[in-house]
Amino acid sequence: MSNITAGRPIRWGFLGAGGIASSMAADLHHGNNTLYAVAARDTDRAATFAARFGATHSHGSYRGVIEDPDVDIVYIATTHPFHREQALMAIDAGKPVLVEKPLALNAAQAREVLTAARRQGVFAMEAVWMRANPLILLAQEIVASGVIGDVVAVHADFSIGVDFDPGHRLYDLANGGGALLDLGVYPMHLAWLFLGRPDTQQVLGTLSPTGSDATVAIQWGYASGATGQLRCAMTAQTPGRATIAGTTGSISVEPWFLNPERLVVSANEGGEPRVEENQTGYGPQIEEVERCLRNGLLESPVAPHADTIAILELIDRARADLGVRYPGER
């Protein structure tokens, strides 16, 4: 990281050229960042992606990006089962990493990756873009200020409709399929931000014909009496709003809590709701990574390592309750 001199752009190397990589690349103009290289299993796909987003280098091998001395940070946007291996490869080469959520298939793998990064002295972060969103950060400030009193409940649902297809990534266990890892991480991270680690977790759900988790409803319980009601599913789309309820008011995160456009802050005693508006995307996450790299941080306070591991531990427990196991897992 010491070779990132002041004033020059952070040079990103992407592993993967799919939809989420495209969204990140489109927002890479935020701050002082540039897409330098991209790798995909298909050389032509990598070249097409590079041409579309202005990268000067493309590779048909992931190692091509990892071993390039001019790449400052490796962004891993491949499918879940490859995150651990590719992150460890990049870390071993001395590269900082931003790894798409989930950082790994389970908590043990995540712990291995993050321990390796700290040992090697390189930055590592799970790409839960929601956590860097200005409105999510503002909601945390509002709660901390006591405006809505003590938080007693968080409700969040991130569900989409995907017709069953055994070859589709979300239904394919060999590809890390299931609602929890792809969708459930978001409501869980949101509830964690406002309620912290639950004392109890109850899980209901259904499995697809391939054995992946298709619908999951989770209730978190706390000794205080607070609850988190969280849901994710692949069977039907829901609006994606979230509510943070306190003893003296509430915050509605709208219209899509992953990337909200507004917060509606309401007081229990009535009066006009306070509305905070903002439109963002992946830019705040990119700017946070740049800030960390330029300041020599090994982890971001916005998405700390401990939270990444803790959420995956809770997902591991939920999958165990539902009977979902990935190939190779003990």
Side-chain angles (χ1 to χ4, degrees), residues 131 264 322:
R131 293 187 67 138
V264 180
L322 294 170

Side-chain angles (χ1 to χ4, degrees), residues 16-264:
I20 201 160
S22 297
S23 297
M24 272 284 288
D27 280 352
L28 212 56
H29 58 84
H30 285 262
N32 191 7
N33 296 276
T34 187
L35 180 59
Y36 175 81
V38 61
R41 285 175 295 183
D42 183 305
T43 304
D44 290 341
R45 190 177 190 203
T48 299
F49 188 98
R52 178 182 171 195
F53 292 106
T56 54
H57 295 70
S58 66
H59 304 269
S61 158
Y62 297 126
R63 270 194 188 278
V65 165
I66 289 169
E67 294 176 354
D68 189 323
D70 291 325
V71 168
D72 295 314
I73 180 166
V74 174
Y75 169 56
I76 298 172
T78 53
T79 51
H80 315 335
F82 300 99
H83 290 182
R84 171 191 167 275
E85 175 190 354
Q86 291 165 355
L88 289 173
M89 195 189 313
I91 290 164
D92 188 56
K95 300 290 189 188
V97 292
L98 176 67
V99 187
E100 260 311 323
K101 58 82 204 156
L103 186 128
L105 281 177
N106 54 50
Q109 289 185 2
R111 201 175 288 110
E112 181 184 6
V113 168
L114 296 172
T115 299
R118 188 159 288 278
R119 188 185 305 120
Q120 189 76 351
V122 297
F123 172 82
M125 176 177 165
E126 183 181 28
V128 184
W129 61 316
M130 176 191 74
R131 293 187 67 138
N133 186 285
L135 287 179
I136 297 296
L137 296 174
L138 177 59
Q140 291 175 259
E141 291 175 14
I142 292 170
V143 168
S145 74
V147 168
I148 67 166
D150 296 328
V151 176
V152 294
V154 173
H155 299 254
D157 182 348
F158 180 26
S159 299
I160 60 176
V162 181
D163 291 338
F164 176 70
D165 173 359
H168 191 285
R169 178 178 64 83
L170 287 175
Y171 290 104
D172 181 5
L173 286 177
N175 215 5
L180 274 168
L181 282 184
D182 220 79
L183 312 172
V185 288
Y186 289 108
M188 293 174 87
H189 272 278
L190 187 81
W192 184 277
L193 287 173
F194 296 99
L195 290 171
R197 183 187 297 273
D199 296 310
T200 61
Q201 174 172 275
Q202 296 168 289
V203 181
L204 291 172
T206 61
L207 303 185
S208 74
T210 56
S212 63
D213 45 297
T215 65
V216 186
I218 294 175
Q219 177 145 310
W220 284 357
Y222 297 81
S224 66
T227 58
Q229 291 179 313
L230 318 171
R231 185 180 179 276
C232 61
M234 310 184 300
T235 52
Q237 185 161 332
T238 54
R241 293 185 181 88
T243 304
I244 304 146
T247 50
T248 62
S250 63
I251 302 172
S252 181
V253 189
E254 305 172 355
W256 199 47
F257 75 88
L258 282 71
N259 186 35
E261 294 176 13
R262 63 184 170 271
L263 302 179
V264 180

